[in-house]
Every structure is written in structure tokens, then in C-alpha cells.
Amino acid sequence: MAASLAQAGLIGAVSGLRSQWGMAAVSWSARPTMAPSTRQALLTRPWVRGTTLAAATGEFIADKSPRVPSRLAPAGLVPRLVLGALSGTVLSQRHRAPTPGIAAAAMGASAAGAFAFAGALWRRTAGFRTDAVAAAVEDVVAASLACLACA
């Protein structure tokens, strides 16, 4: 159960940094043979993978724009919390002894909230010449965490 909760926390952290990337990583790392669950099978469908990839790509591009609102505003934070909880729950169900959904959801949402605030603070204090450079570094961190969570 500890490994499952750790994965839920890691993928929630990804959602805190990049709201759409957590579900995209969960979808793209899912295999039809991983679990008989309907959720896991749904994630492997081409239209689901295409949708999550399009959303993650759109966020990747939009995040570099100075016109994007703060991730800490309700419109930015609420989706991160919800997607962190959802991706954490779905990822935790891949284990033979899955974590209770509420525990995985709480871990994913908590990590998403913490990393949303940490990412915003880091961008303000990192001292990069442009926000786009800070965003690119954050992209690398989010992608690394997603790989670790879904491995």
C-alpha cells in the first residue's frame, strides 16, 4: 500500500505542476493487461490517449505565455486538485492490492496542491531571466516525476 500511495503522491505532484500531465502520463503508461478494471481499459483507448495528449500539449505551449492566469487562482488550482486526485486514484488501482480510493485521492490532491504552491513560489524566486526558462525547467521536473510515478 505504501508504494501505491507514493505513486499517487508523485502523479499528484505532476498535476500540481502541470494540471493535464498527470492524467496524460497515467493514460499513456496504461496497458490493457495491467488490470481488468474498466478505468484502466478506458485509459488505453486511442481517443482517450489522444485527448490527454492534446490537453497536455496545449498546456505545455500555453504555460510559456505571460497571459496565462496564476495556477493559484481558483480556475487554475481546482482542476489541479481534481486531476491530482483522479490520476492518483487511477494509478493506485494498478497494484494487486490497491490502495483505498479515498486515500489515493487524498494523497494525489494533497501533492497537487503542495506542488502547485511550490511551483509558483519557485518561479517567483528562481531568478531566471524569463518565465519561459523557468517553465521549461519545471517541464523537465514534471516529466521526470511522471516517469517515476508510472514506472
Side-chain angles (χ1 to χ4, degrees):
M1 187 162 121
S4 180
L5 279 175
Q7 283 184 299
L10 285 171
I11 205 66
V14 172
S15 295
L17 295 173
R18 296 286 177 270
S19 64
Q20 304 299 316
W21 287 26
M23 277 310 300
V26 171
S27 177
W28 280 88
S29 66
R31 301 288 174 259
T33 58
M34 286 184 132
S37 127
T38 307
R39 279 182 258 162
Q40 295 296 328
L42 177 65
L43 290 172
T44 64
R45 301 220 187 246
W47 69 269
V48 173
R49 287 184 168 172
T51 301
T52 60
L53 180 61
T57 302
E59 183 177 18
F60 174 78
I61 294 166
D63 185 60
K64 309 306 182 276
S65 170
R67 288 180 266 206
V68 173
S70 170
R71 72 182 77 196
L72 302 180
L77 188 58
V78 171
R80 290 171 196 280
L81 298 175
V82 170
L83 289 168
L86 181 62
S87 60
T89 301
V90 174
L91 187 60
S92 75
Q93 300 305 305
R94 290 185 185 171
H95 293 271
R96 288 182 190 204
T99 301
I102 193 74
M107 180 63 85
S110 298
F115 272 73
F117 279 93
L121 176 64
W122 179 80
R123 276 178 128 172
R124 281 195 304 268
T125 61
F128 287 104
R129 290 174 30 143
T130 67
D131 194 49
V133 173
V137 172
E138 198 173 346
D139 290 339
V140 172
V141 171
S144 299
L145 289 173
C147 288
L148 185 61
C150 295

